[in-house]
Amino acid sequence: MLSLLKCMDCGREYPINAVLYTCESCGGLLDVHHDLDALRGRVSRELFDGRLGTLDAPYSSGVWRYKELIYPDLDDAAIVSRNEGNTNLYPAPALAAWAGVRTLYLKHEGENPTGSFKDRGMTTGVTQARALGMTRVACASTGNTSASMAAYAAHAGMEGIVFFQDRQIALGKLSQAIAYGATCVQISADFDRNLALVREIAGALGIYVLNSVNPFRLEGQKAIIFETLQQLRWQAPDWIVCPGGNLGNSSAFGKALYELHQLGLIDRLPRLAIVQAEGANPLYRAYQGGFARFEPVHAETIATAIKIGNPVNYPKAVRALRWTDGVVTQVSDQAIMDAKALIDGQGIGCEPASACSLAGTRQLVEAGIIRPDATVVGILTGHILKDPDATIGYHRDALTGLRAAFPNRLHQAEPSVEAITAILQGSAARRPS
Ligand SMILES: *Cc1c(COP(=O)(O)O)cnc(C)c1O
Ligand SMILES: [Zn+2]
């Protein structure tokens, strides 16, 4: 066997098919641990490049293309996939100039089948559920996890069960989970409490938990990094910048970069920058104190996807930061929404949490941490259509406590040629030439 489950704290090992999310000895988080020495001779840039453009499953998927680095022993027939991944890496020169760096790419994970990067972790998580013979899967969710799990569970013929907060759920996400047929339960508690509930109830009822405490989720999310590096012809950028909520993605990025480097697929390690919302910043606080201690916070932010006060993957995120000489920063809701307006205005678009990548890049340049001549990859985690209320509220300048710096006002006109012509003459005059 090339892979097993391994506790990141005490090193205890478990077989790959153990139904466990944390260590039975010490409570530590588990990794899907691969035998990198055995894999070294089996993977190469050429192997993965040779699979580009194939129409054949599973390698047509932007996750399973890297199967040797994700779940090498798995029988292909067990895979539950929707050809996730294969997302665009957009050069964004205008946004690079605004942020103050020479080169900025945006990796658009909102282009996944259900509109967020969660699909990359869900193809591996639901595949493992199937390999274990599970028929029911569950998650607590700020939204995108539930949308993705609901879709993949339906695809696999399983029951998906979602524990939602009863307020501040982006409408696009709730509607997806309901439409895809999941059993949806609204609970008057925040995300952190719902995650505790889901873990307790799932354990008692034999339901498989697909929150990012599940290490198979993170294995799939590593493919965001694998694919980005492949799109960059395996030339490492200086920085990879991503939002941090439950810290599953940043943890996965750290593991992906570590493994690529260990296997010689990249020559140097990019630095990881994790960006939190000011109102949901427990990692940032711990970072400022040199990780001497960690304290959960009560989370409030317009970026609901990262409204998490007690991130379950905290220890793995700290490890990712150590592996990559990474940094953590925080940005205000104002900065998030203004950055989102600029990304949207390029015709690219994203949901609020994703805009942390751009807002954080600019801030880290201003702070002198990212150098102006750097090459930066910002991860856009979710699709613009996920949270239309936030977008419209911004352009109407109707968001409480915020002032839109880049609004695109909706014009109202009488049905007359004169009235409409006047508007269009005005808008032409306002366009930069
Ligand atoms: C889940 C999610 C995040 C946060 O990712 P973590 O792995 O929880 O840190 C950020 N943005 C979007 C759009 C998400 O769906
Ligand atoms: Zn342990």
Side-chain angles (χ1 to χ4, degrees):
M1 293 293 272
L2 289 161
S3 315
L4 43 74
L5 296 176
K6 185 170 179 181
C7 173
M8 71 174 285
D9 290 338
C10 76
R12 181 168 168 193
E13 296 180 351
Y14 303 87
I16 193 82
N17 60 357
V19 183
L20 275 181
Y21 315 101
T22 48
C23 178
E24 285 182 330
S25 301
C26 77
L29 295 171
L30 300 178
D31 282 312
V32 178
H33 178 82
H34 305 296
D35 182 345
L36 295 183
D37 289 330
L39 284 172
R40 196 159 282 125
R42 294 178 40 169
V43 295
S44 63
R45 296 175 179 178
E46 292 71 31
L47 173 73
F48 300 130
D49 288 349
R51 291 173 182 168
L52 286 173
T54 182
L55 297 175
D56 296 327
Y59 302 132
S60 51
S61 156
V63 171
W64 297 103
R65 175 178 311 129
Y66 315 98
K67 183 173 175 236
E68 289 80 359
L69 302 181
I70 288 172
Y71 202 154
D73 298 312
L74 184 73
D75 178 1
D76 285 356
I79 292 175
V80 181
S81 170
R82 289 189 56 196
N83 266 329
E84 48 289 313
N86 298 307
T87 60
N88 282 297
L89 182 69
Y90 294 103
L95 300 175
W98 181 77
V101 286
R102 183 183 295 160
T103 309
L104 174 69
Y105 295 97
L106 294 174
K107 176 68 170 161
H108 207 326
E109 289 297 302
E111 296 173 348
N112 272 289
T114 77
S116 81
F117 76 79
K118 300 299 196 302
D119 294 342
R120 299 218 189 222
M122 220 43 86
T123 182
T124 45
V126 172
T127 292
Q128 180 65 1
R130 177 140 97 186
L132 294 170
M134 298 283 176
T135 57
R136 306 174 90 188
V137 291
C139 68
S141 180
T142 59
N144 280 329
T145 300
S146 60
S148 181
M149 190 194 73
Y152 279 79
H155 206 60
M158 294 177 196
E159 184 192 2
I161 302 166
V162 182
F163 288 34
F164 272 115
Q165 291 146 262
D166 62 351
R167 52 187 195 97
Q168 254 206 321
I169 293 286
L171 204 57
K173 307 176 186 182
L174 178 61
S175 60
Q176 279 180 293
I178 292 175
Y180 295 140
T183 303
C184 298
V185 189
Q186 284 202 318
I187 302 164
S188 56
D190 63 7
F191 171 83
D192 302 299
R193 173 78 185 124
N194 279 342
L195 180 57
L197 282 169
V198 98
R199 288 177 70 174
E200 185 175 341
I201 293 167
L205 299 184
I207 300 168
Y208 195 54
V209 177
L210 282 176
N211 279 99
S212 61
V213 67
N214 184 312
F216 291 91
R217 283 267 316 270
L218 304 197
E219 287 307 294
Q221 288 168 210
K222 288 188 326 193
I224 300 169
I225 294 297
F226 298 158
E227 196 174 272
T228 300
L229 267 298
Q230 189 170 29
Q231 286 167 311
L232 292 172
R233 315 293 192 268
W234 306 102
Q235 299 306 303
D238 299 304
W239 288 91
I240 293 173
V241 186
C242 70
N246 219 8
L247 303 176
N249 226 18
S250 29
S251 299
F253 289 8
K255 188 167 187 282
L257 291 168
Y258 174 83
E259 290 171 352
L260 286 179
H261 194 235
Q262 288 287 311
L263 292 166
L265 290 163
I266 53 174
D267 304 326
R268 66 183 181 111
L269 280 170
R271 297 178 71 185
L272 186 63
I274 306 175
V275 186
Q276 293 208 294
E278 268 175 18
N281 64 354
L283 179 71
Y284 177 71
R285 286 171 186 237
Y287 169 76
Q288 282 197 307
F291 299 121
R293 53 200 239 113
F294 172 79
E295 264 181 77
V297 302
H298 172 76
E300 279 306 333
T301 168
I302 192 166
T304 52
I306 51 173
K307 202 182 122 191
I308 293 172
N310 190 13
V312 67
N313 286 299
Y314 170 75
K316 285 185 177 174
V318 173
R319 183 180 65 179
L321 291 164
R322 294 204 166 117
W323 272 338
T324 62
D325 189 19
V327 302
V328 186
T329 191
Q330 62 173 0
V331 291
S332 64
D333 280 6
Q334 178 75 54
I336 289 171
M337 292 307 291
D338 286 334
K340 170 175 149 59
L342 293 174
I343 296 165
D344 294 352
Q346 291 294 305
I348 294 174
C350 65
E351 69 164 281
S354 310
C356 282
S357 298
L358 178 63
T361 298
R362 179 172 155 112
Q363 205 196 73
L364 289 167
V365 173
E366 274 170 4
I369 295 169
I370 296 182
R371 291 167 45 130
D373 62 355
T375 297
V376 177
V377 173
I379 309 297
L380 299 183
T381 45
H383 197 281
I384 187 174
L385 291 177
K386 291 283 189 171
D387 195 348
D389 291 331
T391 305
I392 293 289
Y394 178 89
H395 290 289
R396 286 203 178 121
D397 212 357
L399 298 177
T400 320
L402 300 190
R403 184 119 196 93
F406 309 109
N408 180 19
R409 293 262 154 63
L410 180 60
H411 300 280
Q412 308 288 336
E414 297 297 316
S416 85
V417 171
E418 293 74 22
I420 297 168
T421 301
I423 289 171
L424 297 188
Q425 280 167 341
S427 66
R430 277 193 302 274
R431 275 191 88 73
S433 52

